[in-house]
Each structure stands twice: as C-alpha cells, then as structure tokens.
Amino acid sequence: MNQADRLRPTQRDALLHNLKDGRTFDVAVIGGGATGLGVALDAAARGYSVALFESEDFAKGTSSRSTKLVHGGVRYLAQGNIALVREALHERATVLRNAPHLAHRLAFVMPCYKLWEIPFYGAGLVMYDALAGKRGLGKTSVLGPQGTLDALPNVRTAGLKGAVKYWDGQFDDARLAIALGRTAAQLGAQLLNYCGVTGLLHNDDGKVDGVVARDGETGEQFNVKARCIINATGVWVDGLRRQDDEHAGREAEDIVAPSQGVHVVVDREFMPSDHALIIPGTSDGRVLFTVPWLGKVIIGTTDTPRHDLSREPDPFREELDFILRESSKYLNRAPTPADIRSIWVGLRPLVKPPKSAGTDTKALSREHTVLVSQSGMVTVTGGKWTTYRAMAADVLQQCIDRGLLPAGTACTTDHLALVGAQRGMPVTHALSDPPDIRAYGDESEAVESLPGAQNALGGGLTEAMVRFAARYEYARRVEDVLARRSRLLFLDAALAASMAGPVGRILQEETGIDPEVEAFRALTRHYLHPALLQGAAT
C-alpha cells in the first residue's frame, strides 16, 4: 500500500452514504473507544465488513483519560496472577512495536525509605523482567540515595535509603485510538464519530440483526443491518443491554459498577526528569505515580466509586486533596492547587458478570468480560488499554464460536503496523518531550505539506496540524483537536481555552460546520481546580 492509498481523506458525506446504502455488514460495533476500535481493526483485518458507530468523538470517554501507561501489570504479579502478567507483557511489546511513534519505554523509580523495601520490591521486579524475557524493556536495578536523587531530582531526601528502578511502557492513548480507527478504515471499515446508536433491530425470531443510528450533526436516523452486533460502549454497556432485553420482555442485570480515576497535571519543574516516580503503597493502599508526559508531569490516580455516568465527570474535592497531600509526602517541593494546569477524570468499567448469565458469560482472568445475550448481541467491557488487542481477539472468537460470524482468517493484528508506523521510519523522540511533529511518525511530511505548517498556534500545535486533523483524522469540533488530536486540554486547560478561537476558524474553513468554540471554552472549566475557578470568578 503506497502513501496515497494510506492517506485518504475522511469524507463524512461518503461515510454516511456507505452506511445507508442498504448492505448488510458482517459486524456492527457500537462504541469508539479502545475496545471498539480494536474490535473494528481486528475484524477488518480478517476480511469482515465492518461498521462502527460512536455517539461522541473517538476516545472521548475513558479511553483518553488513562494514566498513559502501557504496562505488564506489576500489581497482578503481587496477586500471583502470572498468566495475566505474561499476556500483558506480550501486549505491551506489541503496542510498542506496532506504534513506535505513539508508545515507548519509560523508566520507573520506586524510592525506598525502609531498608527492607529494596530487596522486597527488587525481587518482585526481577521476576517481572524474567516473565518479559526477550520482550523486556530494560533490566531492573537498585539505586543508592545519590542515584535516586539523580533520577528523581525533587524526591524527598529525608530518610531515603535508595530505590528500585525498572522499565515499563508509556503511550498517547487518544492518538493511539485514532491510529487504530484510521488503520481499520484503510482495511475497509466504515467508522463514524458523532453518530450514535439509538436502538436495536431484531428479526422475527427475536435475534438482533441491526441498529438504529442517528447522525449527531443533522439529526437524521437510519437503519443499518449487520450479522453480528457488538456492544463496546465501556461504562455505558448496560443501557444497550437493557434495550436488548426489553425487546424480549426480560430485565437485564447491570454488569458495570463505575469507578473514577482522577489525574492532575503540573509543570515539569515538580519532577524535572525523564523517569517516572511510583509509590506502591500510599496511606490508603493505592498506587501513586508522577509521570513525565509531553513536557508536563501527570500525578495520580484515585479509585472512587461513581454512581452516575456523566460524559464529563468532575473530580471529588477529596480526591484532589488526596493527590496533593500524598504527593507532598514524596516531593521536596510539592504542587499546590495554584500549580495545577489541568485535571481529568476517567470512568472505569469495573465488571461483575450477572448471576443469570450462565454459560452465556465468558468471565476472563484478563479482567474483561464477554457476554452474549439470548438475542445474540455481544457485549464486551472491562479490561485495560494495554490488552485492547487481546480483548478484540477474544470478542471475535466468541462471535465465531457462537456462529454469529463465519470462521475465516485468524487474528493478524499481532504484527500489524498502525497508521504512522507503516513505512519503517525510525522514531527518535520520547513522550516525555513536549509535543511536536514527530508524533505523526511517517505522516510527518504529509502534515508539513499542508497550508500553515509554519504558523504555530501554541503548545506545539500548528495550523497544518489542525487541517490534517480535519481532513484525515475525523476531527469535527474544537474539542476534538485540542483534547484528542493534540492533547493540550489535558496538558494546560487555560492555554487550550485561549487557542479555541484560532483553531475554530481553521476547522470551520475545513468542515463548513460550527466548530463549537464557546462550548469548548465552557468545557475547559471542568479541567481546572475549583480554587482556580473561584479566583477567576472574583
């Protein structure tokens, strides 16, 4: 496939026409997060015809709000779940190989303030290396106090005995999601954002055989038939499951209990290093990270039950207090509310399969669940970003085993290079650096060939990047560009708000629709600390 074939414009009118042309697709995927996009890519790579519907933007929800780590799961090792660790280590290597412009290795340093911690954690991490084998990213090592300070210049020195250093992976979650979707589109999948599913279609036998879709830009509704319907809507899967069961007069049991994770972003001065800090046990037993990312530092995370399913959840005040309080125990100079550049909240789908599912449930040690309803709708939820590809393979195997899809080509995504990594160009940057053109991998030249390549808008974003997002990356609104095609909303919410106008003008030129500038400016308030908002109000 040459560059021209790879780089095809995403024309919304043509996509809508293809979805409404009356054909019956092999697979209809509902949900454009990591899992849904992974399923779409795997299915398209096997030769199935695929339609994917996302009611908002791709990776709008949980899939853009991770800790940005692609990891083997050290905590699973402590639980004795060796099989899960092996799988995650395999998938970690796969992500780094298939998307080297969006994922790379990162050193983690665990400072120790008690002598027993060094051999205790060191032994576990040496086992972690052994399980990785040839897929390892670097050897675990022990650092003395000075070596720890060299790696983590702002770490608390009082009582410091040394540290254990190990290697894991880091990535750009939202841009990886876009790469998955665009790679699936190269293989023939029809993907559309801002086009939600409002209902399910059933045949005379009560089997689900299609969806009712609604174009979020025009309000038009239309039906799309498919042999296999896959519900991959994350924390929102129960809504579709209830619709499915109501058709048959049943009442679905909820399988998702949402939990939210909060992250705050501060300037690099609070950890001027290319190493991440990890605290394996905070005062309440959680893990705390400070992670260098795109020129800033991420601190998090929390794990708090959440009973509502807001598309834009706000942090609880006690979660912000917890992050700042715990980080102050390990940093000589700790951030205050005034130092926070951005806050984001992600909802995790914690899953418990329903008791009534019987043999229709496949509850996996991998922490994700695949459930096939009596009507034949396949639901998948749970899991984590690192294992998205293995989840997709499991889902499609279930579809084949149940006769919902014909058996055919085996999974081929293990060595399938994603958009931006298909020409074998070397990648020389790290995600700890500020954002720049290198994040586009082998498409960098194509971006820089567009008008405005030298017109810097701020935060590493150029006019050409906005045009590329609109033409090739499905971007429709200012939020799409400033939150997910670039990550500026997640790095500096105030800066992102100040750039909404210029970005909106470029987008409107490209798309001809309202880019929703004011809506984005209002959205940025969710990403600022409440104390900063109060200050702005006064």
Side-chain angles (χ1 to χ4, degrees), residues 139-161:
K139 289 185 177 181
T140 292
S141 58
V142 173
L143 306 178
Q146 186 57 53
T148 305
L149 289 171
D150 292 341
L152 302 174
N154 190 32
V155 74
R156 178 170 64 86
T157 55
L160 182 64
K161 307 301 183 185

Side-chain angles (χ1 to χ4, degrees), residues 74-147:
V74 172
R75 65 187 177 96
Y76 304 126
L77 185 62
Q79 298 167 3
N81 198 331
I82 302 300
L84 179 54
V85 176
R86 285 186 184 277
E87 178 186 69
L89 288 168
H90 174 85
E91 295 304 319
R92 180 187 72 178
T94 301
V95 173
L96 269 64
R97 179 181 61 247
N98 291 347
H101 57 308
L102 298 174
H104 70 106
R105 71 176 193 153
L106 177 68
F108 289 75
V109 176
M110 186 184 300
C112 299
Y113 294 89
K114 298 176 182 177
L115 285 175
W116 64 264
E117 293 177 323
I118 296 176
F120 178 78
Y121 292 119
L125 289 165
V126 167
M127 185 182 296
Y128 192 56
D129 293 347
L131 289 171
K134 293 180 180 179
R135 299 185 296 269
L137 304 179
K139 289 185 177 181
T140 292
S141 58
V142 173
L143 306 178
Q146 186 57 53

